[in-house]
Amino acid sequence: PWKPYRRRPLSRISRGSGTSSTTGSCPRWKLVSKQATCGTPLSAVMNNDRVGLLLFSDRVERHLAPRTGRRQALAIVAAVLGHPPRGRRTSIRLALQALGSALRRRAIVFLLSDFLDAGFDDVIAKPYTIEQIEDTLERWLLERRPGGLAAA
């Protein structure tokens, strides 16, 4: 059964680098990333949840510890919209390690990145194998076909 994760801090890790890669310079990616990152704290304020932010490139650009309140939500929105990126590369490993050492207890973390980085696989916990995920997706897609599993 599903249990709500109330009172768990919510953290957004968002890539803030100004890369010249295909996705990094794409205005659509930047817009979607900013919308997703700004929408979370505004929703969290309504539930009185704690929310934080970590902007990163090849270094930690900006970190706001998880807190509650409208002031925190507005600080996150201002940081996302007004922070000029300094780094040109992406280091997901560094961002996850920085967040791991900054958080004092378990949290729900959203990672927004183009994933143009190598060597961060061992930092992210993987509770499922690729085969398990593929099987689950295949079953899910088959169930949603017109006619269900019988159509396959």
Side-chain angles (χ1 to χ4, degrees):
W2 181 78
K3 290 181 0 184
Y5 290 102
R6 303 294 293 153
R7 299 293 169 209
R8 285 248 171 117
L10 182 67
S11 292
R12 298 290 263 184
I13 306 177
S14 188
R15 185 180 70 84
S17 65
T19 62
S20 59
S21 69
T22 310
T23 27
S25 62
C26 175
R28 177 87 175 140
W29 157 252
K30 290 179 181 179
L31 177 67
V32 169
S33 175
K34 286 181 180 184
Q35 285 175 341
T37 306
C38 291
T40 304
L42 299 175
S43 299
V45 166
M46 297 172 69
N47 293 327
N48 201 26
D49 290 335
R50 297 185 318 158
V51 64
L53 174 73
L54 185 117
L55 294 175
F56 72 98
S57 58
D58 51 356
R59 58 182 163 236
V60 175
E61 301 256 344
R62 181 85 192 257
H63 178 251
L64 295 171
R67 292 195 176 94
T68 60
R70 273 186 277 165
R71 185 172 286 162
Q72 175 74 354
L74 292 175
I76 290 173
V77 170
V80 169
L81 297 178
H83 182 75
R86 288 189 274 270
R88 303 286 296 168
R89 295 200 172 115
T90 301
S91 177
I92 297 172
R93 171 186 275 282
L94 177 79
L96 292 173
Q97 288 174 341
L99 188 70
S101 64
L103 290 177
R104 295 190 184 118
R105 55 184 178 164
R106 290 183 177 261
I108 299 170
V109 177
F110 294 97
L111 174 62
L112 294 176
S113 175
D114 56 8
F115 294 99
L116 294 176
D117 188 21
F120 64 90
D121 292 345
D122 57 338
V123 182
I124 297 176
K126 296 173 205 69
Y128 300 103
T129 64
I130 295 293
E131 292 80 22
Q132 289 173 322
I133 294 170
E134 286 174 349
D135 290 341
T136 303
L137 282 173
E138 188 175 315
R139 235 180 306 124
W140 183 80
L141 289 171
L142 285 174
E143 288 174 1
R144 273 139 188 82
R145 269 192 190 158
L149 290 173

